[in-house]
Amino acid sequence: MMTHEDFLKIETQFYAYTQPFVDRAEDPYPFVLKREHTVRVCRAMEMLCASLDLDGSKTSRACAAAMVHDMGRFPQFAVFHTYSDARSKNHAAIGCKEIMRSKILSHLSVTDRQLILRAVALHNRPRLSRTYGRDLSLLARLLRDADKIDIFGVMKDHYLNPDSSHGFITHDLPNDGKIPERAAHVLLETRQNDLSYVNTLNNMRVFQAGMVYDLNFPAAAAAILDLEVIPVLLGGIPPSDLIIRLEQALLDHLKSLASSNHGKHGRTLK
């Protein structure tokens, strides 16, 4: 069974792995941002585990998954100068290779290593299936929710404090000033995101807001409600009845999930 000491060893190795990327970079900010993101995802993970009253071993495993979940982002940006998987390579797949190459999990049991690797591989999938075992399903959902909590925070800060030198955060997408009607309609009708629409900044705003439909745990929904991020994401889009309806639908979903009682395994996958 994993211990907190096992997690601390992974944390130390993570900083040793990422520091060369920071040191070599002409502009270290993209790498520093991802490292800071990782730390906050670990904090979000601790909060989620506490909300579910998970034992120490499961919490340590979940925090370890959070610590290594974006290791692929560092070589991705170093090689391709983008965080867009569509314009480079799947960062989760890169991450799994880096985790194995670096042996950062080598002191863990085979079971813990496999669960963490599989959760990392699944963390950026559009949606999860219903075919995973209970331990993997729980870990994968926790990781996806913890990741989203901080992504929402990063995006809120970026949109409220825009910096032209940080366009990589929104994949340098153009702002055409148009209402992304098709993406908004599809999201309202299906309650599922479609990455194929993300070709402009406003389409990305809709996609990011729509991530709330993929949340699994009440504590994650409550944390995102507290961020008051949905009005910020959609507020940059020209006002329309469609966007107002979408915002209300997303907020209603968050409030419903935050007040629900889904137990330790989250909402039921569809």
Side-chain angles (χ1 to χ4, degrees):
M1 296 198 318
M2 269 198 71
T3 65
H4 183 61
E5 287 68 31
D6 289 326
F7 166 75
L8 292 177
K9 185 173 182 179
I10 292 168
E11 181 181 43
T12 298
Q13 291 177 278
F14 171 79
Y15 278 101
Y17 171 83
T18 58
Q19 190 59 44
F21 291 97
V22 175
D23 292 340
R24 291 193 298 260
E26 183 176 339
D27 176 11
Y29 179 73
F31 301 104
V32 172
L33 181 70
K34 278 300 171 186
R35 195 158 66 179
E36 292 174 346
H37 163 70
T38 298
V39 172
R40 292 191 298 267
V41 173
C42 288
R43 291 178 189 155
M45 183 65 87
E46 289 177 343
M47 179 275 292
L48 291 177
C49 290
S51 77
L52 300 174
D53 196 27
L54 297 186
D55 63 33
S57 178
K58 288 182 179 177
T59 297
S60 294
R61 179 197 292 157
C63 289
M67 183 60 70
V68 301
H69 84 282
D70 261 355
M71 278 180 63
R73 288 298 197 188
F74 295 86
Q76 179 190 43
F77 200 89
V79 173
F80 299 103
H81 310 293
T82 181
Y83 285 134
S84 168
D85 285 7
R87 288 158 46 194
S88 57
K89 292 184 178 180
N90 183 339
H91 76 277
I94 299 172
C96 288
K97 291 178 182 178
E98 289 300 292
I99 289 168
M100 292 186 288
R101 186 188 64 79
S102 67
K103 296 181 170 40
I104 193 171
L105 305 180
S106 62
H107 60 293
L108 303 183
S109 69
V110 172
T111 297
D112 284 326
R113 287 201 305 269
Q114 290 179 341
L115 283 170
I116 291 170
L117 276 168
R118 293 184 70 187
V120 170
L122 293 170
H123 89 272
N124 67 332
R125 294 278 180 91
R127 55 195 60 90
L128 296 180
S129 77
R130 304 175 65 178
T131 59
Y132 310 115
R134 177 167 290 188
D135 286 343
L136 177 57
S137 179
L138 175 62
L139 183 59
R141 294 189 201 187
L142 283 168
L143 181 55
R144 289 164 71 90
D145 277 22
D147 194 23
K148 286 179 178 65
I149 290 171
D150 190 62
I151 290 172
F152 277 117
V154 170
M155 298 317 304
K156 178 182 178 181
D157 182 66
H158 177 70
Y159 287 130
L160 290 178
N161 304 283
D163 186 327
S164 61
S165 67
H166 297 164
F168 68 89
I169 294 175
T170 50
H171 301 173
D172 296 302
L173 289 169
N175 184 3
D176 62 2
K178 296 179 180 179
I179 299 171
E181 294 186 5
R182 182 58 181 161
H185 276 299
V186 169
L187 185 58
L188 272 170
E189 291 168 4
T190 68
R191 294 162 64 99
Q192 292 185 344
N193 262 328
D194 188 336
L195 192 59
S196 67
Y197 292 116
V198 183
N199 56 3
T200 68
L201 184 60
N202 285 345
N203 273 292
M204 173 171 269
R205 286 175 178 270
V206 168
F207 181 89
Q208 290 165 338
M211 292 192 303
V212 303
Y213 284 133
D214 188 53
L215 294 173
N216 298 280
F217 298 101
I224 291 164
L225 275 173
D226 287 344
L227 280 172
E228 298 181 337
V229 64
I230 301 302
V232 174
L233 293 177
L234 299 182
I237 299 172
S240 71
D241 289 342
L242 174 62
I243 298 302
I244 291 171
R245 284 194 292 118
L246 177 60
E247 179 176 331
Q248 191 58 56
L250 295 171
L251 291 174
D252 287 346
H253 176 77
L254 282 172
K255 291 172 185 176
S256 175
L257 179 56
S259 63
S260 65
N261 181 16
H262 285 297
K264 292 188 178 182
H265 302 291
R267 65 179 177 85
T268 302
L269 291 175
K270 296 179 179 179

